[in-house]
Amino acid sequence: MYRSTKAADTAELTELIYGAAFGDCSWQDFLDRLTTTMPDGRSALHYHDLTSPAACVPYVSGFTPDAIDQFNNHFAAINPWIPKSVLVPVGRGLSGEHIVSRADLIKSEFYNDWLKSQTGCETTVGVTIVRSPTRTLLVSTCTSSTDEEVNQRAADQYTQLAPHLKRAFDFLRRRDLMIAEQHEGRTLLDTIGVGVIYVGDNLRIRSMNDNAEQMAAKGSPFRVTHNGRLFMDEPETNATLELLASPVGAAAQPQVRIVTTAEDGAFRITLVRRSANIFTELLDGPTVAVLIEPATSLVCDQRLDHLKDSYGLTPAEIRIASGVAAGLTLKEMSHANGVSYETIRTQLKSIYAKTRVNSQAALVKLLMR
């Protein structure tokens, strides 16, 4: 049903995108507001593998469960828009008529037996967010509107939302792209001396920050093999890493260990499996964040001066801000820092007060300026 409440504008939808990425709200909240932008809107975030007849539609708004079941079980495979969507530009909002002519659409089984009869809709407006040779991730809204001007305005809005959606999913996939220009282009975790490595299955390294690269050059407390795999020097830590990075490994509480090496002293190593987001698992498989914190980075030194001067943050608050920038949850930061969840919440509220923001999304955007 078309909602009587005021339709969401682009600014509101953009805030919801970043809120969903940083945990301040959910993707369901974003889709529920997206439906208000079109008459009889029914919105979905959906993933298609062109090598498989099935689709994955983890988030929907406005569709009945029966309609989604029928789509997944049969109509996704004969959806005339999907094969041709690989030919349209990524990031460009389009209505269905720009992909398949209306004359051809209304002749199809997909239109007559699902789109029209099951959802009461006539077309769709959507945008491709991510595309690989065989995989496509999209957001779209089915609508009863056949007004070309209305549908084009909606398509233009999707084009405006596309780069924000791309950034949000990049964040969910990599978790380490929080670059602060005011800090000479270094990540916040670089600033306070923390090495960050992201690994996938088979312990293959996906990315590492500057500090991790410097640690790798020294060979302590980990090594990078010739084929780009991560190997932790301490056997128990390495075994835990292998378990967390396994495709069949279950998500677990963050694992925190203190490892001592003869050459470089003590390190605090935190292992966190990033398994909360379905798109990360679908597109990239499991991802484990490895945070390597030299003992010297746990106390205040010259590397923290500019952060203290800019925001007046304490060393503990700097670690919390760094965790937010790395995409860690409050519970994960509680385990990583060895303090209670309530302590982390109190420190985060203090950070909000000092930086004059009121959400994790706003904090990250402030740190990215």
Side-chain angles (χ1 to χ4, degrees):
M1 171 180 285
Y2 187 51
R3 305 185 185 189
S4 59
T5 56
K6 180 181 178 182
D9 60 19
T10 302
E12 180 185 0
L13 291 169
T14 300
E15 287 299 317
L16 287 170
I17 288 169
Y18 287 112
F22 299 124
D24 292 329
C25 63
S26 69
W27 288 109
Q28 191 65 54
D29 295 324
F30 167 70
L31 285 185
D32 287 345
R33 287 302 281 149
L34 191 65
T35 63
T36 69
T37 62
M38 297 293 290
D40 298 304
R42 282 111 169 79
S43 299
L45 274 167
H46 45 120
Y47 165 92
H48 295 265
D49 187 334
L50 299 181
T51 65
S52 170
C56 178
V57 190
Y59 296 102
V60 299
S61 179
F63 293 100
T64 66
D66 284 346
I68 293 301
D69 285 344
Q70 290 184 35
F71 180 82
N72 288 337
N73 294 332
H74 176 64
F75 290 99
I78 60 172
N79 181 347
W81 286 315
I82 294 302
K84 294 191 176 183
S85 67
V86 300
L87 303 176
V88 304
V90 173
R92 180 182 173 187
L94 295 170
S95 63
E97 288 72 19
H98 289 109
I99 303 173
V100 175
S101 71
R102 182 152 187 84
D104 289 338
L105 176 69
I106 62 177
K107 297 175 185 177
S108 68
E109 178 188 352
F110 172 82
Y111 171 84
N112 288 286
D113 292 351
W114 188 79
L115 185 66
K116 181 68 173 179
S117 63
Q118 294 296 317
T119 74
C121 292
E122 294 290 341
T123 190
T124 190
V125 175
V127 65
T128 299
I129 306 166
V130 176
R131 179 189 293 149
S132 72
T134 61
R135 300 174 178 179
T136 303
L137 176 65
L138 312 96
V139 60
S140 64
T141 299
C142 291
T143 177
S144 60
S145 171
T146 56
D147 186 317
E148 292 185 6
E149 291 187 6
V150 170
N151 295 350
Q152 185 58 54
R153 284 198 299 270
D156 292 342
Q157 184 177 53
Y158 276 64
T159 300
Q160 295 177 57
L161 294 174
H164 302 292
L165 287 162
K166 177 67 164 58
R167 290 189 194 105
F169 285 105
D170 280 346
F171 177 80
L172 292 170
R173 293 172 71 184
R174 296 199 304 269
R175 304 283 175 167
D176 188 32
L177 44 77
M178 298 302 129
I179 305 300
E181 294 180 1
Q182 68 190 68
H183 299 149
E184 300 175 351
R186 295 176 294 176
T187 66
L188 291 174
L189 291 173
D190 278 329
T191 300
I192 61 172
V194 179
V196 184
I197 306 172
Y198 290 98
V199 300
D201 53 351
N202 296 318
L203 303 186
R204 196 169 301 279
I205 295 173
R206 289 182 173 153
S207 68
M208 63 172 68
N209 69 351
D210 290 344
N211 279 330
E213 290 181 354
Q214 293 172 15
M215 294 174 186
K218 295 180 180 179
S220 180
F222 65 90
R223 291 182 286 110
V224 179
T225 67
H226 70 278
N227 58 355
R229 299 178 67 218
L230 180 65
F231 182 85
M232 306 303 298
D233 289 343
E234 199 273 315
E236 188 174 351
T237 302
N238 198 68
T240 301
L241 176 62
E242 288 181 341
L243 178 62
L244 290 175
S246 168
V248 298
Q253 295 290 342
Q255 303 294 305
V256 181
R257 302 182 185 280
I258 302 297
V259 175
T260 302
T261 66
E263 300 85 0
D264 299 296
F267 294 85
R268 172 183 283 182
I269 298 176
T270 305
L271 308 175
V272 184
R273 173 157 172 158
R274 310 304 306 177
S275 59
N277 187 272
I278 188 169
F279 301 107
T280 299
E281 297 287 340
L282 286 170
L283 297 173
D284 291 335
T287 300
V288 177
V290 182
L291 280 69
I292 305 170
E293 196 171 9
T296 54
S297 74
L298 302 179
V299 297
C300 180
D301 60 23
Q302 290 298 317
R303 287 174 294 183
L304 309 183
D305 284 347
H306 62 286
L307 284 179
K308 291 193 299 181
D309 293 341
S310 297
Y311 306 121
L313 303 185
T314 67
E317 290 168 347
I318 290 171
R319 289 197 295 273
I320 301 307
S322 301
V324 172
L328 300 180
T329 67
L330 298 190
K331 185 177 292 185
E332 290 164 350
M333 287 186 277
S334 170
H335 284 274
N337 289 278
V339 298
S340 70
Y341 177 83
E342 288 304 319
T343 297
I344 298 294
R345 285 191 62 188
T346 299
Q347 291 172 330
L348 186 59
K349 289 178 181 178
S350 176
I351 294 170
Y352 288 168
K354 291 179 179 180
T355 57
R356 298 182 181 179
V357 301
N358 57 12
S359 69
Q360 291 187 41
L363 176 62
V364 171
K365 284 190 284 186
L366 173 66
L367 298 175
M368 290 174 68
R369 288 178 183 171

